[in-house]
Amino acid sequence: EAMLLRDGAARSLNLLRAMVSRNAGRRALIVALELSLAAVALWSSYRFFGQVPIAAPFQYDYAEGSVLSALLRITQGATPYPDPQALPNSINMYGPVAYYLLALPVKALGLNFLYPRAMILGCAVAIAVLISITLWRTTRSIALALTFGLVYLTIPNIQSWAWLLRVDLLGIAFMIAGLMVFSQRFDR
């Protein structure tokens, strides 16, 4: 699969060379550059996300343990926030919406880091798709929309957080979806 992605990037670059040599129009050159960048971004994301230990049975980030603890409390019928007067004490710092949404795969598939992490990874992909849709609606350029959506997944902070059990990307996904719905209202 990695070879297919590399071949796609090589074909895009060959297309770019052919377009430049034939004095193709400026727009065609820009589209070729966008598609080349998209191919490189796709290959980079594939290489990175293919190596992350999403199924590891232990926490990789300081917040993962407390989030999973809150999810366990929810599946047991308790609130995600333990009594602050009881000792030992843990503080769950995120809002309840994130905990209850992340508890859905835990209720359905069992207490494990894998399924809530997969949900967060799905949020990262959903953000990339929402960015692409927003750009397409604004510019009507599929190449530009695809490029920016894929480039989002190559940002180092996104790559390091997209597979961790944190609520940041869940919040960003809801924020971008809300902005899309709000902007759709003004487009009519």
Side-chain angles (χ1 to χ4, degrees), residues 12-24:
S12 295
L13 290 175
N14 288 337
L15 175 66
L16 174 64
R17 286 186 194 112
M19 291 169 67
V20 170
S21 68
R22 286 185 252 154
N23 287 330

Side-chain angles (χ1 to χ4, degrees), residues 57-140:
F58 50 86
Q59 71 180 29
Y60 267 90
D61 187 69
Y62 72 93
E64 284 190 314
S66 64
V67 171
L68 195 65
S69 172
L71 301 181
L72 174 64
R73 290 178 55 80
I74 290 170
T75 60
Q76 294 172 343
T79 174
Y81 308 103
D83 180 13
Q85 304 298 324
L87 294 175
N89 191 352
S90 68
I91 297 177
N92 293 330
M93 59 200 127
Y94 303 121
V97 173
Y99 288 127
Y100 284 102
L101 283 174
L102 288 169
L104 295 174
V106 172
K107 285 180 181 179
L109 303 167
L111 186 66
N112 191 329
F113 280 112
L114 173 63
Y115 305 113
R117 282 178 182 161
M119 189 172 176
I120 297 301
L121 183 59
C123 286
V125 172
I127 292 167
V129 168
L130 292 173
I131 289 170
S132 294
I133 291 170
T134 301
L135 276 172
W136 179 80
R137 279 180 32 198
T138 305
T139 65
R140 295 292 187 227

